[in-house]
Amino acid sequence: MPALAPVAGGTKVPSGAGVQRRARTAYLLLIPGIAWLGLFFVVPLVSLFFTSLQAPTGTPGVYQPGFEVANYVTAISDYWPQFIRSFIYSGIATVLALVIAYPLAYFIAFRAGKWRALLLVLVVAPFFASFLLRTYAWRTILADEGFITTTLNALHLLPDNRILNTPIAVIAGLTYNFLPFMILPLYAALERIDPRLIEAAGDLYSSPFTGFRKVVWPLSLPGVVAGTLLTFIPASGDYINATLLGSPQDRMVGNAIQTNFLQFRDYPVASALSFIMMAIILTLVFVYIRRAGTEDLV
Amino acid sequence: MAASGEVQDLRLVNLVKSFGDFTAVDDLTLTIPGGSFFALLGPSGCGKTTTLRMVAGLEAPTSGNILLGDTDITNEKPYKRYVNTVFQSYALFPHLDIFENVAFGLRRRGIKDVSGPVNEMLDLVQLGPMARRKPAQLSGGQQQRVAVARALINEPGVLLLDEPLGALDLKLRRQMQIELKRIQTEVGTTFVHVTHDQEEAMTMADTVAVMNKGRIEQMGAPVDIYDLPKTAFVANFLGQSNSVAGTVQGRSGDDLIVGAPGGSYNVPAARSTRQEGAILLGVRPEKLSIATAGSSAAVPDRHNRATGKVTDASFTGVSTQYLVMTTWGDEWTVFEQNRSVDLLQPGDEVVIHWAPEYTFGLDVPSGE
Ligand SMILES: Nc1ncnc2c1ncn2[C@@H]1O[C@H](COP(=O)(O)OP(=O)(O)OP(=O)(O)O)[C@@H](O)[C@H]1O
Ligand SMILES: [Mg+2]
């Protein structure tokens, strides 16, 4: 780079060497993150992949390196109902969470005024108690003799006369447990919308509902996409809710992985289940993001 | 289009808007004739935007009424009002391209074929080639023109413009001023144009209202307000003024005789808001003539005169602006046409003089 004369005001254009040094600093700062990911994400993933292809040795719980594609066949043929349940339960939970979270996030972003910070703390407050404990608490809330079940039964609204140990309880638990992951991205997206845009829509002959549909909703789509992914992905892999709130007929893929790993000590099938799950979710996410077209927004 | 027939007057009646115990708009009453170009002029924070927001329905008045024609629209929902706004902050929809931004109002009113009017409007604001860009890809001035186009295309009964030209460079600003004025004449819509650029207000508007601290100080045709301001605030906000405080000492014919530090001055009684007691005399800088103290004999007898010393002379081509320190210690400004090449120099003793009918008399503002 040729030497440049100082520009007006005395500020100097950074020299070529300076730019290079800054770029090198940026890379240096990336090293801890890359090392972390390499050690705790890539290495286990590779090891999991090899495990999923291991062959039995005859001794239960001991396997040898191999290329047992049959593990994958077993995983699908034995556990396809769990896969389907996983996606149905977490899909319904995601939709419910979106329906519950959107008005709440909207209120916090546009209407809460000085209560905004407090409400946001309340949204994350459940995290102060353990996930397991909170899910146990739902057993009490939904128990057969509990207030909710008896009330709904009195109104003849429950097909099985109970909630606990049914898919409804599992879905309710998933919705509850992952709700903050829906609220927070939605709030972040809504909070960025200039309220004057809503005024402008009203000024341009939009009723409040049309204004919402044409302005607020499209502008909040990045939050909707982020929130649904952050809810759907962990919910579909969850096994605690199905274990504690569902019956043995309501088990999900997470349960299958857990029993294979810890009870049957069938590590290859458990790993194959994990890999299939990962592949399905990645595909779904990819299709979803393409459809939502987030790159066009904002 | 959405036209409900003839253009109607916009009337604000005893309009008040308070935020807590702060009164942003204080008992505003005014009538804006249908089809007129009305400018609301005032310093920052005087309540211009708040007034417009109440007319648009975006802010509920604390008390008072807004009428369009004979219809009271005070409580009408904004999306039902026959009023559109060009927002001070543009408020363009970031997720829609320029075309869709401009088409927004038409589409909401169920108009199917929007491409004709939208393209026409985009050509009008010279943004035709940018139709498919997003607002973030436009410069500030281009965004501002989109905001104007987006409101204007609806041909509302009243168009509210909140400093719509603030971000434009001088050339484009002039061009848009002419354009806006032309459109206004053509469509006959009532324009309420908020600005703190007094020149813009005076060149564009039929009627100018000067606002200060939530109140209208004075309202009228630009020429009239400029020629005869009714308050010291208006005299200084709209153009420049020189002033001197004095006391009415008597009458001579139609004139009041005022005793002030520099001597005795005449002011037509009809041009004074006060007929006795303390008074503030004012005169515009371009109404003054300036001469060297030595040639004071040539000053017409009937002229008011003040003496002083030139402290600064700045040559601007067409005219020269002099700052003169008067004998009583005020600094006066004089604009003198450059008809000769002999300029006065700082330090020159001079006499300033002007015809009494250029003088105006005002109430002395409290605190002065
Ligand atoms: N929502 C609000 N809450 C409290 N005070 C407000 C609010 N909106 C406006 N104000 C106050 O009301 C006064 C008038 O505001 P307004 O926006 O009408 O000024 P303006 O004349 O448009 O000024 P500018 O030329 O700077 O745009 C200001 O002092 C402002 O601080
Ligand atoms: Mg304003």
Side-chain angles (χ1 to χ4, degrees):
Chain A
M1 205 179 186
L4 288 170
V7 291
T11 44
K12 288 202 183 92
V13 173
S15 66
V19 172
Q20 270 170 19
R21 199 174 317 124
R22 222 174 301 154
R24 210 178 311 136
T25 313
Y27 287 123
L28 283 173
L29 287 171
L30 280 176
I31 287 179
I34 291 173
W36 176 274
L37 280 177
L39 206 59
F40 295 106
F41 180 68
V42 177
V43 171
L45 200 67
V46 170
S47 128
L48 196 69
F49 180 69
F50 284 118
T51 309
S52 76
L53 292 171
Q54 279 175 349
T57 53
T59 324
V62 184
Y63 299 87
Q64 61 192 17
F67 198 72
E68 281 286 300
V69 183
N71 293 334
Y72 283 83
V73 178
T74 313
I76 293 176
S77 60
D78 286 3
Y79 296 106
W80 62 267
Q82 275 86 339
F83 276 108
I84 292 181
R85 254 179 248 133
S86 278
F87 290 119
I88 291 182
Y89 292 177
S90 53
I92 296 176
T94 304
V95 172
L96 285 177
L98 179 64
V99 171
I100 297 169
Y102 204 104
L104 190 66
Y106 187 96
F107 178 84
I108 300 175
F110 291 118
R111 300 284 158 80
K114 61 178 175 174
W115 300 105
R116 183 187 285 203
L118 179 69
L119 288 171
L120 284 173
V121 170
L122 288 179
V123 166
V124 294
F127 291 142
F128 291 116
S130 116
F131 183 83
L132 213 55
L133 215 60
R134 282 183 281 132
T135 313
Y136 261 113
W138 274 84
R139 286 181 67 91
T140 317
I141 297 170
L142 300 177
D144 290 350
E145 283 75 40
F147 166 73
I148 294 178
T149 308
T150 48
T151 310
L152 290 177
N153 259 333
L155 298 167
H156 303 291
L157 284 173
L158 294 175
D160 301 333
N161 295 323
R162 63 186 319 199
I163 301 176
L164 197 63
N165 296 333
T166 67
I168 299 177
V170 181
I171 292 169
L174 289 172
T175 309
Y176 159 77
N177 274 311
F178 296 103
L179 193 60
F181 296 106
M182 182 68 89
I183 297 175
L184 293 178
L186 279 179
Y187 166 77
L190 287 167
E191 195 259 348
R192 284 176 51 205
I193 299 176
D194 185 347
R196 281 171 293 200
L197 295 179
I198 305 173
E199 291 184 346
D203 188 65
L204 293 163
Y205 311 105
S206 303
S207 65
F209 177 70
T210 315
F212 171 79
R213 202 163 52 88
K214 292 291 175 185
V215 177
V216 179
W217 173 255
L219 286 174
S220 69
L221 274 185
V224 174
V225 171
T228 46
L229 290 180
L230 286 176
T231 308
F232 180 77
I233 296 173
S236 58
D238 180 75
Y239 66 94
I240 305 256
N241 285 281
T243 310
L244 296 181
L245 304 173
S247 74
Q249 280 76 50
D250 307 324
R251 297 294 185 247
M252 297 163 67
V253 171
N255 301 96
I257 296 173
Q258 191 221 14
T259 23
N260 270 291
F261 246 111
L262 301 180
Q263 261 170 278
F264 307 159
R265 289 196 288 162
D266 192 342
Y267 309 124
V269 167
S271 308
L273 283 168
S274 306
F275 254 92
I276 296 169
M277 191 67 185
M278 209 150 45
I280 298 176
I281 289 181
L282 275 177
T283 313
L284 287 177
V285 167
F286 185 74
V287 171
Y288 179 58
I289 292 182
R290 283 297 286 277
R291 286 287 302 277
T294 41
E295 57 274 327
D296 280 350
L297 294 167
V298 183
Chain B
M1 283 180 125
S4 69
E6 83 279 28
V7 190
Q8 296 166 314
D9 292 357
L10 176 67
R11 281 193 291 150
L12 312 185
V13 185
N14 301 117
L15 206 58
V16 175
K17 179 68 195 183
S18 307
F19 296 107
D21 50 9
F22 174 77
T23 308
V25 173
D26 192 1
D27 198 21
L28 204 67
T29 297
L30 58 91
T31 299
I32 299 171
S36 69
F37 199 119
F38 186 90
L40 200 52
L41 182 65
S44 185
C46 72
K48 305 182 295 293
T49 298
T50 308
T51 307
L52 285 200
R53 287 174 60 81
M54 286 191 284
V55 176
L58 302 174
E59 203 87 68
T62 308
S63 65
N65 294 83
I66 302 164
L67 294 99
L68 194 54
D70 295 325
T71 327
D72 189 320
I73 59 164
T74 317
N75 298 312
E76 182 105 274
K77 296 261 177 286
Y79 58 93
K80 295 199 173 139
R81 290 189 194 203
Y82 185 35
V83 168
N84 284 112
T85 310
V86 178
F87 290 86
Q88 191 165 11
S89 54
Y90 321 147
L92 301 179
F93 302 122
H95 58 301
L96 301 178
D97 63 22
I98 301 315
F99 184 95
E100 285 304 322
N101 263 281
V102 175
F104 195 90
L106 297 182
R107 290 207 195 278
R108 299 292 85 75
R109 299 209 317 261
I111 293 164
K112 289 279 169 325
D113 187 22
V114 298
S115 68
V118 171
N119 286 324
E120 217 168 279
M121 189 50 71
L122 285 176
D123 287 343
L124 191 72
V125 294
Q126 303 173 10
L127 288 174
M130 316 239 166
R132 290 298 161 198
R133 288 212 201 162
K134 292 282 174 70
Q137 297 167 301
L138 298 188
S139 74
Q142 290 166 337
Q143 293 182 28
Q144 206 158 45
R145 282 181 279 156
V146 177
V148 171
R150 186 180 67 173
L152 243 183
I153 195 166
N154 301 295
E155 301 186 9
V158 178
L159 185 70
L160 307 174
L161 304 106
D162 198 349
E163 302 193 33
L165 310 178
L168 305 186
D169 63 55
L170 200 64
K171 184 162 164 278
L172 203 54
R173 203 180 162 96
R174 288 278 168 272
Q175 218 172 328
M176 282 295 287
Q177 283 174 4
I178 294 165
E179 206 52 63
L180 276 180
K181 183 74 191 165
R182 189 186 65 71
I183 294 165
Q184 192 266 336
T185 320
E186 203 174 289
V187 298
T189 300
T190 314
F191 275 38
V192 182
H193 184 115
V194 158
T195 175
H196 41 220
D197 178 347
Q198 39 143 326
E199 205 175 308
E200 183 171 298
M202 288 196 283
T203 49
M204 296 177 82
D206 312 320
T207 311
V208 175
V210 181
M211 199 167 171
N212 186 29
K213 294 184 185 149
R215 292 170 168 276
I216 299 287
E217 291 256 341
Q218 192 176 352
M219 190 172 129
V223 186
D224 298 339
I225 303 194
Y226 185 82
D227 178 58
L228 189 54
K230 291 276 164 59
T231 69
F233 176 83
V234 174
N236 289 305
F237 192 78
L238 205 69
Q240 278 176 279
S241 299
N242 299 302
S243 63
V244 57
T247 316
V248 178
Q249 290 179 329
R251 280 185 89 109
S252 137
D254 290 335
D255 286 0
L256 300 175
I257 314 284
V258 175
S264 168
Y265 303 93
N266 283 26
V267 54
R271 286 177 61 86
S272 178
T273 58
R274 289 195 63 86
Q275 305 299 323
E276 58 188 15
I279 187 172
L280 189 72
L281 291 183
V283 62
R284 299 286 187 187
E286 75 282 3
K287 301 287 174 12
L288 301 176
S289 301
I290 190 165
T292 52
S295 60
S296 68
V299 175
D301 276 348
R302 53 185 283 276
H303 275 197
N304 290 325
R305 67 185 72 197
T307 51
K309 189 188 270 186
V310 174
T311 55
D312 187 63
S314 33
F315 178 75
T316 62
V318 188
S319 66
T320 302
Q321 178 185 337
Y322 293 106
L323 290 183
V324 175
M325 184 61 74
T326 58
T327 45
W328 65 93
D330 276 354
E331 192 150 78
W332 277 35
T333 307
V334 181
F335 294 140
E336 186 80 344
Q337 293 257 328
N338 286 326
R339 273 171 301 211
S340 82
V341 287
D342 303 328
L343 297 182
L344 296 164
Q345 298 302 323
D348 286 357
E349 298 283 346
V350 290
V351 53
I352 300 167
H353 59 98
W354 69 96
E357 57 270 25
Y358 291 141
T359 322
F360 44 82
L362 307 169
D363 288 31
V364 179
S366 48
E368 206 165 305

